[in-house]
Amino acid sequence: MIPPPGARPAPTPPDRLPEGVDLRLAVTDMDGTLLDGRGRVPADLGETVTRMRERGVLFAPASGRQLGNLRRVLGPLADDALLIAENGAYAVLGDRQIHDDVLGRDAAARVIGTVRELAGAGSDVGAVLACKHMARIERRDAPFVEQAATYYAQLEIVDDLLAAPLDDVLKVAVYDFDDAESGSAPPLTGALPDLQVVVSGRHWIDIMSARTSKGRALAAAQAHLGIAPAQTAVFGDYLNDLELYDRAELSFAMANAHPRVLARARYIAPANDEGGVTRTLRALLERMG
Protein backbone atom coordinates (compact mmCIF):
# COMPACT_ATOMS: atom_id res chain seq x y z
CA MET A 1 0.00 0.00 0.00
CA ILE A 2 1.08 3.60 -0.57
CA PRO A 3 1.99 5.28 2.73
CA PRO A 4 -0.51 7.87 3.99
CA PRO A 5 0.53 11.53 3.72
CA GLY A 6 1.68 11.66 7.32
CA ALA A 7 4.08 8.77 6.74
CA ARG A 8 5.65 10.11 3.56
CA PRO A 9 9.44 10.34 3.45
CA ALA A 10 11.04 13.76 3.35
CA PRO A 11 12.06 14.99 -0.12
CA THR A 12 15.75 15.30 -0.92
CA PRO A 13 16.78 18.93 -0.22
CA PRO A 14 17.99 20.79 -3.33
CA ASP A 15 21.46 21.23 -1.82
CA ARG A 16 21.78 17.44 -1.65
CA LEU A 17 21.43 17.13 -5.42
CA PRO A 18 24.67 16.74 -7.37
CA GLU A 19 26.46 19.85 -8.64
CA GLY A 20 27.39 20.29 -12.28
CA VAL A 21 24.50 18.17 -13.58
CA ASP A 22 24.74 17.27 -17.28
CA LEU A 23 21.01 16.87 -17.82
CA ARG A 24 19.71 16.23 -21.33
CA LEU A 25 16.55 14.15 -20.84
CA ALA A 26 13.84 14.39 -18.14
CA VAL A 27 11.38 11.50 -18.09
CA THR A 28 8.24 11.68 -15.97
CA ASP A 29 5.30 9.42 -15.34
CA MET A 30 1.95 11.18 -15.47
CA ASP A 31 -0.66 9.94 -12.95
CA GLY A 32 0.52 10.19 -9.37
CA THR A 33 3.73 11.86 -10.52
CA LEU A 34 3.46 14.88 -12.83
CA LEU A 35 -0.32 15.30 -12.45
CA ASP A 36 -1.85 16.17 -9.11
CA GLY A 37 -4.45 14.06 -7.35
CA ARG A 38 -7.21 15.61 -9.48
CA GLY A 39 -5.39 14.82 -12.72
CA ARG A 40 -4.30 18.41 -13.36
CA VAL A 41 -1.10 19.52 -15.11
CA PRO A 42 1.09 21.73 -12.86
CA ALA A 43 0.46 25.42 -13.49
CA ASP A 44 4.19 26.03 -13.97
CA LEU A 45 4.83 23.14 -16.36
CA GLY A 46 4.89 25.35 -19.46
CA GLU A 47 7.44 27.70 -17.90
CA THR A 48 9.53 24.77 -16.70
CA VAL A 49 9.56 23.07 -20.10
CA THR A 50 10.53 26.37 -21.75
CA ARG A 51 13.51 26.65 -19.41
CA MET A 52 14.41 23.04 -20.15
CA ARG A 53 14.38 23.69 -23.89
CA GLU A 54 16.62 26.72 -23.41
CA ARG A 55 19.14 24.48 -21.65
CA GLY A 56 18.87 21.68 -24.20
CA VAL A 57 16.88 19.30 -21.98
CA LEU A 58 14.20 17.15 -23.66
CA PHE A 59 10.84 16.72 -21.92
CA ALA A 60 9.62 13.09 -21.97
CA PRO A 61 6.31 12.00 -20.45
CA ALA A 62 6.26 8.21 -19.96
CA SER A 63 2.83 6.85 -19.16
CA GLY A 64 0.42 3.98 -19.35
CA ARG A 65 -1.86 6.44 -21.14
CA GLN A 66 -2.61 6.37 -24.85
CA LEU A 67 -0.51 8.53 -27.17
CA GLY A 68 -3.57 10.55 -28.20
CA ASN A 69 -4.45 11.10 -24.55
CA LEU A 70 -0.97 12.42 -23.76
CA ARG A 71 -1.29 14.91 -26.60
CA ARG A 72 -4.75 15.96 -25.42
CA VAL A 73 -3.66 16.46 -21.80
CA LEU A 74 -0.35 18.20 -22.53
CA GLY A 75 -1.41 20.26 -25.54
CA PRO A 76 1.45 22.15 -27.25
CA LEU A 77 3.95 20.86 -24.68
CA ALA A 78 3.69 17.45 -26.39
CA ASP A 79 4.53 18.76 -29.86
CA ASP A 80 8.30 18.29 -29.74
CA ALA A 81 8.51 16.06 -26.68
CA LEU A 82 9.56 12.44 -26.50
CA LEU A 83 6.29 10.65 -25.73
CA ILE A 84 6.45 7.17 -24.22
CA ALA A 85 2.91 5.78 -24.24
CA GLU A 86 1.11 2.54 -23.30
CA ASN A 87 3.67 1.71 -20.59
CA GLY A 88 6.51 1.69 -23.08
CA ALA A 89 4.85 -0.23 -25.89
CA TYR A 90 4.92 2.84 -28.14
CA ALA A 91 7.25 5.85 -28.30
CA VAL A 92 7.39 8.78 -30.68
CA LEU A 93 9.51 11.90 -31.07
CA GLY A 94 7.34 14.51 -32.72
CA ASP A 95 5.54 12.57 -35.45
CA ARG A 96 8.27 9.95 -35.83
CA GLN A 97 7.91 6.51 -34.25
CA ILE A 98 11.11 5.41 -32.56
CA HIS A 99 9.95 2.30 -30.70
CA ASP A 100 7.09 -0.20 -30.51
CA ASP A 101 6.36 -3.57 -28.93
CA VAL A 102 3.26 -5.30 -30.33
CA LEU A 103 1.49 -7.83 -28.11
CA GLY A 104 0.39 -10.12 -30.95
CA ARG A 105 -2.97 -11.47 -32.11
CA ASP A 106 -2.94 -14.78 -30.22
CA ALA A 107 -1.76 -13.26 -26.96
CA ALA A 108 -4.33 -10.47 -27.15
CA ALA A 109 -7.11 -13.01 -27.68
CA ARG A 110 -5.95 -15.04 -24.66
CA VAL A 111 -5.94 -11.94 -22.46
CA ILE A 112 -9.45 -10.95 -23.52
CA GLY A 113 -10.68 -14.46 -22.81
CA THR A 114 -9.06 -14.46 -19.37
CA VAL A 115 -10.61 -11.10 -18.44
CA ARG A 116 -14.00 -12.38 -19.53
CA GLU A 117 -13.53 -15.44 -17.30
CA LEU A 118 -12.69 -13.25 -14.31
CA ALA A 119 -15.77 -11.12 -14.94
CA GLY A 120 -17.90 -14.23 -15.26
CA ALA A 121 -16.58 -15.43 -11.90
CA GLY A 122 -17.66 -12.23 -10.19
CA SER A 123 -14.72 -9.82 -10.52
CA ASP A 124 -15.77 -6.29 -11.44
CA VAL A 125 -13.27 -5.89 -14.28
CA GLY A 126 -13.23 -4.75 -17.89
CA ALA A 127 -10.67 -4.75 -20.70
CA VAL A 128 -9.36 -1.98 -22.93
CA LEU A 129 -7.77 -3.19 -26.16
CA ALA A 130 -5.04 -0.60 -26.73
CA CYS A 131 -3.80 -0.30 -30.33
CA LYS A 132 -1.50 2.32 -31.82
CA HIS A 133 -4.20 4.71 -32.98
CA MET A 134 -7.41 3.45 -31.34
CA ALA A 135 -8.54 1.83 -28.11
CA ARG A 136 -11.58 -0.44 -28.01
CA ILE A 137 -13.87 -1.67 -25.24
CA GLU A 138 -16.86 -3.98 -25.16
CA ARG A 139 -18.10 -3.20 -21.67
CA ARG A 140 -20.70 -0.42 -22.04
CA ASP A 141 -21.75 0.63 -18.53
CA ALA A 142 -21.17 4.31 -17.79
CA PRO A 143 -18.73 3.92 -14.86
CA PHE A 144 -16.39 1.73 -16.90
CA VAL A 145 -16.64 3.87 -20.04
CA GLU A 146 -15.84 6.94 -17.93
CA GLN A 147 -12.67 5.33 -16.57
CA ALA A 148 -11.52 4.21 -20.02
CA ALA A 149 -12.23 7.61 -21.56
CA THR A 150 -10.08 9.29 -18.92
CA TYR A 151 -6.95 7.64 -20.34
CA TYR A 152 -7.90 6.97 -23.98
CA ALA A 153 -8.74 9.91 -26.23
CA GLN A 154 -9.42 7.71 -29.25
CA LEU A 155 -11.94 5.22 -27.85
CA GLU A 156 -14.43 2.98 -29.64
CA ILE A 157 -17.13 0.75 -28.15
CA VAL A 158 -17.55 -2.53 -30.04
CA ASP A 159 -19.80 -5.55 -29.63
CA ASP A 160 -16.96 -8.08 -29.46
CA LEU A 161 -13.29 -7.34 -28.81
CA LEU A 162 -12.30 -10.64 -30.37
CA ALA A 163 -13.86 -9.50 -33.65
CA ALA A 164 -11.81 -6.28 -33.64
CA PRO A 165 -8.43 -5.94 -35.43
CA LEU A 166 -5.76 -7.52 -33.24
CA ASP A 167 -2.59 -7.14 -35.33
CA ASP A 168 -1.39 -3.83 -33.85
CA VAL A 169 -2.44 -4.37 -30.23
CA LEU A 170 0.14 -2.82 -27.90
CA LYS A 171 -1.38 -4.01 -24.63
CA VAL A 172 -4.61 -4.91 -22.91
CA ALA A 173 -5.41 -2.63 -19.98
CA VAL A 174 -7.68 -4.05 -17.29
CA TYR A 175 -9.68 -1.84 -14.96
CA ASP A 176 -10.58 -3.40 -11.61
CA PHE A 177 -13.17 -1.50 -9.59
CA ASP A 178 -11.67 -3.14 -6.48
CA ASP A 179 -7.96 -3.12 -5.57
CA ALA A 180 -5.99 -4.31 -8.61
CA GLU A 181 -2.82 -5.41 -6.81
CA SER A 182 -4.61 -7.71 -4.35
CA GLY A 183 -7.61 -8.54 -6.54
CA SER A 184 -7.36 -9.38 -10.22
CA ALA A 185 -3.57 -9.10 -10.66
CA PRO A 186 -2.71 -12.49 -9.06
CA PRO A 187 -5.17 -14.58 -11.12
CA LEU A 188 -4.21 -12.72 -14.31
CA THR A 189 -0.54 -13.37 -13.60
CA GLY A 190 -1.23 -17.04 -12.97
CA ALA A 191 -3.32 -17.46 -16.11
CA LEU A 192 -0.88 -15.61 -18.40
CA PRO A 193 2.60 -16.72 -17.29
CA ASP A 194 4.28 -15.89 -20.61
CA LEU A 195 3.08 -12.28 -20.58
CA GLN A 196 3.88 -9.29 -18.42
CA VAL A 197 1.15 -8.35 -15.96
CA VAL A 198 1.96 -4.98 -14.38
CA VAL A 199 -0.04 -3.11 -11.76
CA SER A 200 0.06 0.45 -13.07
CA GLY A 201 -2.28 2.08 -10.54
CA ARG A 202 -4.64 1.29 -7.71
CA HIS A 203 -7.26 0.05 -10.18
CA TRP A 204 -5.32 -0.53 -13.41
CA ILE A 205 -3.35 -3.51 -14.70
CA ASP A 206 -1.47 -3.52 -18.00
CA ILE A 207 -0.87 -6.82 -19.80
CA MET A 208 1.87 -6.67 -22.40
CA SER A 209 4.56 -8.62 -24.16
CA ALA A 210 7.10 -10.00 -21.70
CA ARG A 211 9.72 -7.61 -23.07
CA THR A 212 7.65 -4.41 -22.93
CA SER A 213 8.41 -1.75 -20.32
CA LYS A 214 8.90 1.96 -19.96
CA GLY A 215 12.56 1.21 -19.34
CA ARG A 216 12.95 -0.64 -22.63
CA ALA A 217 11.34 2.26 -24.50
CA LEU A 218 13.59 4.71 -22.67
CA ALA A 219 16.67 2.65 -23.62
CA ALA A 220 15.62 2.76 -27.28
CA ALA A 221 15.12 6.53 -27.06
CA GLN A 222 18.49 7.06 -25.37
CA ALA A 223 20.21 5.05 -28.12
CA HIS A 224 18.36 7.02 -30.80
CA LEU A 225 19.25 10.37 -29.24
CA GLY A 226 22.76 9.57 -28.03
CA ILE A 227 21.87 10.31 -24.40
CA ALA A 228 23.42 8.37 -21.52
CA PRO A 229 21.79 7.28 -18.25
CA ALA A 230 24.06 9.78 -16.48
CA GLN A 231 22.33 12.53 -18.49
CA THR A 232 18.82 11.28 -17.70
CA ALA A 233 16.44 12.10 -14.85
CA VAL A 234 13.34 9.99 -14.20
CA PHE A 235 10.32 10.54 -11.93
CA GLY A 236 7.76 7.88 -10.98
CA ASP A 237 5.39 6.68 -8.32
CA TYR A 238 4.11 3.19 -9.17
CA LEU A 239 5.20 -0.31 -10.11
CA ASN A 240 5.05 0.25 -13.87
CA ASP A 241 7.78 2.87 -13.43
CA LEU A 242 10.38 0.56 -11.87
CA GLU A 243 12.28 -0.25 -15.08
CA LEU A 244 12.85 3.45 -15.71
CA TYR A 245 15.22 3.52 -12.75
CA ASP A 246 17.61 1.14 -14.49
CA ARG A 247 18.17 3.75 -17.21
CA ALA A 248 18.83 6.92 -15.20
CA GLU A 249 21.36 8.01 -12.60
CA LEU A 250 19.17 10.93 -11.56
CA SER A 251 16.30 8.76 -10.32
CA PHE A 252 13.49 10.29 -8.26
CA ALA A 253 10.59 8.66 -6.48
CA MET A 254 7.70 10.90 -5.55
CA ALA A 255 7.13 11.21 -1.81
CA ASN A 256 3.71 9.61 -2.41
CA ALA A 257 5.24 6.65 -4.30
CA HIS A 258 4.72 2.93 -3.77
CA PRO A 259 7.26 1.54 -1.25
CA ARG A 260 9.06 -0.48 -3.95
CA VAL A 261 9.57 2.67 -6.01
CA LEU A 262 10.85 4.56 -2.98
CA ALA A 263 13.33 1.74 -2.38
CA ARG A 264 14.62 1.81 -5.97
CA ALA A 265 15.19 5.56 -6.47
CA ARG A 266 18.30 7.48 -5.46
CA TYR A 267 16.40 10.64 -4.54
CA ILE A 268 12.92 11.63 -3.34
CA ALA A 269 10.90 14.43 -4.96
CA PRO A 270 8.05 16.25 -3.23
CA ALA A 271 4.65 14.63 -3.67
CA ASN A 272 2.63 15.07 -6.85
CA ASP A 273 0.15 17.31 -5.03
CA GLU A 274 3.07 19.57 -4.14
CA GLY A 275 4.34 20.06 -7.69
CA GLY A 276 7.23 17.72 -7.04
CA VAL A 277 8.33 17.16 -10.64
CA THR A 278 8.51 20.79 -11.72
CA ARG A 279 10.06 21.90 -8.43
CA THR A 280 12.78 19.29 -8.74
CA LEU A 281 13.41 20.00 -12.43
CA ARG A 282 13.93 23.68 -11.67
CA ALA A 283 16.41 22.74 -8.94
CA LEU A 284 18.27 20.47 -11.37
CA LEU A 285 18.40 23.20 -14.03
CA GLU A 286 19.94 25.54 -11.47
CA ARG A 287 22.64 22.96 -10.71
CA MET A 288 23.57 22.25 -14.32
CA GLY A 289 27.21 22.82 -15.28
Side-chain angles (χ1 to χ4, degrees):
M1 296 292 292
I2 297 176
R8 288 174 177 169
T12 303
D15 60 6
R16 294 287 187 91
L17 299 176
E19 288 279 6
V21 174
D22 179 20
L23 180 63
R24 292 186 56 196
L25 178 62
V27 183
T28 177
D29 172 54
M30 293 286 285
D31 298 277
T33 301
L34 179 65
L35 307 182
D36 68 14
R38 296 173 63 183
R40 298 175 300 187
V41 172
D44 62 347
L45 181 61
E47 177 187 353
T48 302
V49 172
T50 296
R51 293 175 61 183
M52 290 167 58
R53 289 169 176 163
E54 291 171 351
R55 300 299 302 271
V57 181
L58 182 62
F59 175 53
S63 176
R65 290 174 178 251
Q66 180 189 48
L67 180 64
N69 179 276
L70 290 176
R71 287 177 167 152
R72 181 180 70 185
V73 171
L74 295 169
L77 295 178
D79 290 347
D80 57 358
L82 168 66
L83 301 177
I84 298 175
E86 306 289 11
N87 264 337
Y90 196 38
V92 301
L93 183 60
D95 293 326
R96 185 170 70 258
Q97 176 183 312
I98 61 174
H99 175 75
D100 73 336
D101 277 324
V102 176
L103 180 58
R105 172 181 292 272
D106 292 343
R110 284 194 290 119
V111 175
I112 294 166
T114 303
V115 174
R116 287 175 174 177
E117 290 174 4
L118 281 177
S123 295
D124 194 0
V125 295
V128 181
L129 194 67
C131 305
K132 287 185 178 181
H133 305 294
M134 180 63 67
R136 297 179 176 89
I137 58 176
E138 61 185 11
R139 183 168 165 172
R140 296 170 176 266
D141 58 289
F144 178 77
V145 173
E146 179 182 358
Q147 292 298 330
T150 300
Y151 301 97
Y152 294 89
Q154 285 82 42
L155 183 66
E156 180 181 33
I157 302 175
V158 299
D159 292 330
D160 181 0
L161 285 178
L162 291 177
L166 299 178
D167 292 327
D168 69 337
V169 176
L170 299 167
K171 72 177 188 185
V172 179
V174 179
Y175 188 83
D176 187 334
F177 281 89
D178 296 317
D179 183 76
E181 188 172 5
S182 62
S184 54
L188 285 169
T189 301
L192 303 163
D194 58 322
L195 301 178
Q196 186 174 184
V197 179
V198 179
V199 179
S200 55
R202 195 173 297 277
H203 298 285
W204 283 102
I205 299 166
D206 284 339
I207 303 173
M208 308 169 288
S209 162
R211 64 183 182 175
T212 301
S213 72
K214 291 183 182 182
R216 176 174 158 86
L218 174 55
Q222 288 170 323
H224 178 81
L225 296 165
I227 295 176
Q231 299 169 310
T232 304
V234 301
F235 298 85
D237 77 306
Y238 223 79
L239 302 178
N240 59 325
D241 300 319
L242 286 173
E243 287 80 5
L244 288 174
Y245 294 94
D246 297 329
R247 300 299 310 173
E249 293 186 12
L250 293 165
S251 58
F252 293 86
M254 310 308 290
N256 54 286
H258 190 286
R260 287 175 58 190
V261 178
L262 289 166
R264 178 74 67 90
R266 292 188 177 187
Y267 306 100
I268 298 172
N272 65 319
D273 280 332
E274 299 169 0
V277 171
T278 52
R279 287 171 59 185
T280 303
L281 284 173
R282 290 198 302 272
L284 289 173
L285 291 173
E286 292 174 359
R287 300 178 78 80
M288 287 181 66

